[in-house]
Each structure stands twice: as structure tokens, then as C-alpha cells.
Amino acid sequence: MVALNPSELHSSLADPVLGSIGFLNEVMSRYPDAISFAPGAPHTSFTDDLDTTRYTDAFLNHLVRDKGYSPVRARRLLFEYGPSRGLINHLVSDALRRDQGIAAAPAAVVITVGAQEAMLLALRALFRYGPQDVLAVANPCFVGITGAASFLDIPLVSIEETDDGINLAALEAACLAASSSGRRVRACYVAADFSNPGGGRMSLECRHKLLALADSRDFLILEDNAYGFTAADGKALPCLKALDAGRRVIHIGTFAKVCFPGARVGYVVADQSVGADGADERLLADELAALKSVVTVNTSPLSQAVIGGMLLKHGSLSGLSGPKSEFYQRNLTLLLAAMDRHLADGLPPGVRWNRPAGGFFVRVKLPVRADLDLLETSAAQYGVLWTPMSQFYLDGAGDFQLRLSCSYLDPEAIEEGMRRLAAFLKKETWS
Ligand SMILES: Cc1ncc(COP(=O)(O)O)c(C=O)c1O
């Protein structure tokens, strides 16, 4: 029987992130009674009585009523191969315009298999073969984008995430350093609204300055808006794409959190012209759709029909996400309040945490290494799980941090989980 040599397989397979995700899942399965602050997954209560037939019917009715399809033709659409760019582009385009002030025609939208595929397609299209094009990422960073870059052999440069968003001086310095070595920062990935794992939000001023820097240093911005909907009522900031006069921003979104992750439906807005001086009317979205046709061919029409129906029934993205936003705001408030209560005293010096205004995550700094051994102790002896932050950093800076997620738990579990976490931190994290 042939035995493959790991060193002859693609280098992305050696990425420690893949190992630690597997380990985390394995620990969770070994300690089923542990309370887990690890998963960044949406709460299951939102899908317990989700009626997919009702939403599919709403979408089919829309095709017949508003788009002139015969009922037979509309129904067939659900079961056949479909256009690579998607079936619900017009609904997504409309929702983005109304809810987020993003003026993107349906032709500038591609419906993808989650945000993850959107990242993969955007990176593949923008980055040429070879080490000359570099992707800048905020550090710490979502492993979906760093993993996709590693999958595609794209070199990364990490830029410190600050309380304000991203260190713009460091980003500019990275652009200059790249160009002095014959390379260029081709794009910068940011999650301006409540990043995963950092939880931070980019200030409005930083958003404007980042767009100006992208113009002056000639790079594109990959904006991941997975958690924008969790902003408190009336407190949302305009996303980068809504401020993007120069079409520097490729905007990536997902229905995983506002609808359900099993649909695997996301989208990318790519309204950049491709062609000399923008004279050619071909858009980057056309190129992404072409690439998609050799990756996943098309996003499941059945899934798109359910998501399309949900958009139609709820009237808008904010109609869809409003109750969820309230739920996650409440959970985050409960988590932070439980931390304040349970961690008020008895902690080793150096335990500190941030106070995000939205999103799913809180980051805790420890005086000891938050590694897989410590996680094992936490699970086995205290019945509580969390995510080590080291996998989100490119430079080892996260070795002494852990991430807590508030999205997947009920209020009682948050309270009990924090009681357990407090016992663990007070006993096991003295250096
Ligand atoms: C920052 C970020 N982007 C995107 C996603 C969702 O991606 P997908 O739509 O592929 O599930 C997640 C989910 O965990 C995320 O944390």
C-alpha cells in the first residue's frame, strides 16, 4: 500500500491551525458535559422551528409574481445546476442598498458557498502566482482568511489590530517595505465590525483613513462583515463598502449568522472594473463567477431559495437580523457582567479582558500560556472550555490569551460556565 510522504503534500496541511481545530473538537467530544465558550456558532434556538418549505415557497412565488417565471420553470430552478453568480443576487443587492447603504448592482454580487468561498475566490482572482503580491491582515486574524491564503500560497504580513481598528502607520510601513523589495501589498483583510477573534471595532475616522491609504498606496480592502449586524440598536457604523467612493473595497458577507450556517450561503460584492482604465464594463464579480464555475460550480439553489425566501418574508437584512442582534447583545452583556461578578477578586495579576460593544467574542489575557495542555486541565478538572488565541496570531503574540464566545450558550450556561472559569483562572493561572 502506498504511503504518502507529508513533506510532499501541500504546505498548508502542516498549518498548526488545522491541528488545533481538530484538537478542540476532539476535547469537546471527550468532555460532553463541559460548558463550552469555544464555538463561534449561532445559537440553535433560531433554527429549532425554522420552516424551510415556507421560505422556499415565498421565493418561488416571488419568481412567478415578480419575475414572470412559470410555476414549473421556477420550481425546476431549485433542482438544476444554476448560474455561477447566483439566483438571489437581486435580493441581496436590494437588501445591501436599503440596510447598509451599499450601492451595488446585482451584477456586482456573487452568491457564494459561505463567506469562506468568497474569500477564496477573491484571493485567487487578485493574487498572481509567486511571492510578489502580499496580503496584509489585521493581527489577530480570522483563521478562515489566513487558512485560505496558506491554501493558495499567498504570503502574509500581519498588522497590529488596535482599539481603533488597525495600525495604519504599520500598514503604510508594510506597503513601503514591500515595494522596496519589489513586492506590493495587494490587499488588506479587515473585519471592521467586531472582529473574530479580537472583538474590536474600527472607528469611523480609521475607516476613512484606511480608504485613503488604500487609494494612496494602491491596494484593495477585503472587508468581512460577518458580525456587523450585532451592533446595538442605533449604534451601527457605516461599513467600509458604504464609504467606498473609489471602489477599493471588496465586501464579503454571510447568511451563516443572520439565517443559519448549514445553508452555506454567503456573498461578495466586487464592483471593480476589470480592463484598461475601467473602459471595459467587465466587473471583478464576473471574474469571481468564472472562477467559481471551476470550484463549486454554483451555490446550492435550494439553499439560495430558503435564504431568498427569508429575505422576502422579513423584508430586509435588518428585519432578519434584528431579533438575533438583540439576542447576541444580551448574551454579550450577560457574559461581561458574569465576568465582572465572578472575577472581581482572587485572580493572579495580569488577567485582563476587553469589553467589545458587539460581536460574539471576548478576549482574556493571562499570565500563563493558554495552550492545549491548559485547555485539557480546564476541561478535565473544571468542566469549562475556551479557545486558545495563539492560532489567530501570526507572530506568537497570542500565546497568553484565550477567546470566549457568548453566541452558543443560554443565560444559565453563561452564568455556570463563568463560575467554573473563575475557579479555573483563580487556581491554575498563577505564573
Ligand atoms: C470573521 C468571520 N467571517 C466569516 C465567517 C462565516 O463564514 P461562512 O459564511 O463561510 O460560514 C465567520 C464564521 O465563523 C467569521 O468568524
Side-chain angles (χ1 to χ4, degrees):
M1 193 170 53
V2 67
L4 300 178
N5 181 344
S7 68
E8 291 175 11
L9 300 178
H10 191 258
S11 56
S12 59
L13 283 166
D15 192 330
V17 164
L18 300 184
S20 59
I21 291 172
F23 182 81
L24 209 57
N25 289 335
E26 189 260 325
V27 176
M28 280 171 69
S29 67
R30 265 192 293 125
Y31 299 100
D33 295 332
I35 293 180
S36 182
F37 289 107
H43 197 274
T44 51
S45 61
F46 292 115
T47 47
D48 284 345
D49 49 14
L50 191 126
D51 181 355
T52 52
T53 310
R54 171 172 166 250
Y55 292 123
T56 308
D57 286 348
F59 181 66
L60 290 177
N61 287 340
H62 158 73
L63 290 182
V64 173
R65 194 186 54 232
D66 306 326
K67 296 282 173 192
Y69 283 65
S70 73
V72 171
R73 188 167 157 237
R75 200 170 173 285
R76 277 192 189 143
L77 272 188
L78 305 192
F79 304 110
E80 295 182 342
Y81 290 114
S84 289
R85 67 174 55 251
L87 291 176
I88 58 169
N89 310 50
H90 59 296
L91 298 175
V92 172
S93 152
D94 196 40
L96 290 175
R97 184 177 42 74
R98 279 190 288 144
D99 292 326
Q100 306 205 4
I102 295 177
V109 176
V110 179
I111 308 298
T112 52
V113 179
Q116 190 61 40
E117 190 196 22
M119 292 180 215
L120 203 65
L121 296 176
L123 291 180
R124 181 63 297 156
L126 294 179
F127 286 75
R128 293 167 296 173
Y129 179 72
Q132 69 276 35
D133 291 346
V134 178
L135 175 67
V137 295
N139 198 30
C141 188
F142 175 51
V143 291
I145 189 80
T146 49
S150 147
F151 186 89
L152 297 170
D153 295 312
I154 292 171
L156 294 169
V157 56
S158 68
I159 311 292
E160 179 206 11
E161 189 178 69
T162 63
D163 289 344
D164 213 25
I166 190 166
N167 185 332
L168 293 166
L171 180 54
E172 183 158 34
C175 294
L176 292 170
S179 67
S180 70
S181 60
R183 290 150 52 116
R184 63 173 174 171
V185 170
R186 173 63 160 152
C188 175
Y189 167 90
V190 287
D193 290 286
F194 314 120
S195 61
N196 173 9
R201 169 148 77 155
M202 191 179 284
S203 68
L204 189 56
E205 190 190 356
C206 186
R207 289 173 202 234
H208 283 294
K209 286 185 172 165
L210 176 60
L211 287 163
L213 188 62
D215 257 337
S216 65
R217 295 288 163 207
D218 192 20
F219 61 82
L220 291 150
I221 298 169
L222 293 179
E223 174 179 43
D224 180 345
N225 196 29
Y227 300 100
F229 76 98
T230 62
D233 202 18
K235 296 276 171 55
L237 292 176
C239 61
L240 286 159
K241 190 65 193 162
L243 303 169
D244 177 30
R247 299 202 180 178
R248 288 275 160 193
V249 180
I250 296 164
H251 181 88
I252 293 172
T254 176
F255 289 102
K257 320 281 169 177
V258 292
C259 294
F260 59 103
R264 304 305 302 131
V265 178
Y267 53 89
V268 51
V269 177
D271 57 358
Q272 292 71 23
S273 285
V274 178
D277 301 326
D280 190 334
E281 269 311 282
R282 200 167 163 80
L283 298 179
L284 181 61
D286 297 311
E287 310 293 356
L288 300 185
L291 284 178
K292 182 174 167 64
S293 70
V294 292
V295 182
T296 53
V297 183
N298 58 253
T299 302
S300 158
L302 273 172
S303 286
Q304 291 188 71
V306 176
I307 301 298
M310 290 179 88
L311 280 170
L312 288 160
K313 282 275 182 203
H314 292 270
S316 62
L317 262 178
S318 52
L320 248 181
S321 61
K324 290 167 187 163
S325 175
E326 271 175 35
F327 176 95
Y328 294 121
Q329 275 284 328
R330 183 207 66 184
N331 266 18
L332 184 58
T333 306
L334 286 175
L335 179 70
L336 289 168
M339 291 179 84
D340 290 340
R341 253 181 297 110
H342 289 285
L343 304 178
D345 49 44
L347 285 178
V351 177
R352 289 195 308 278
W353 58 94
N354 63 342
R355 309 191 75 85
F360 286 6
F361 309 107
V362 173
R363 182 168 29 153
V364 186
K365 294 192 173 156
L366 305 183
V368 295
R369 262 175 214 288
D371 56 16
L372 298 177
D373 288 340
L374 195 67
L375 179 61
E376 182 78 42
T377 305
S378 177
Q381 294 178 30
Y382 298 86
V384 63
L385 287 160
W386 35 266
T387 307
M389 282 283 286
S390 53
Q391 60 182 309
F392 301 110
Y393 279 85
L394 297 175
D395 55 5
D399 289 357
F400 291 77
Q401 296 180 37
L402 58 85
R403 187 194 77 176
L404 303 176
S405 168
C406 70
S407 60
Y408 201 65
L409 297 175
D410 291 322
E412 308 73 52
I414 291 178
E415 180 64 22
E416 172 58 17
M418 193 48 62
R419 195 189 61 69
R420 297 181 188 186
L421 190 80
F424 158 74
L425 290 175
K426 287 175 187 178
K427 195 83 190 285
E428 304 290 343
T429 63
W430 291 87
S431 53

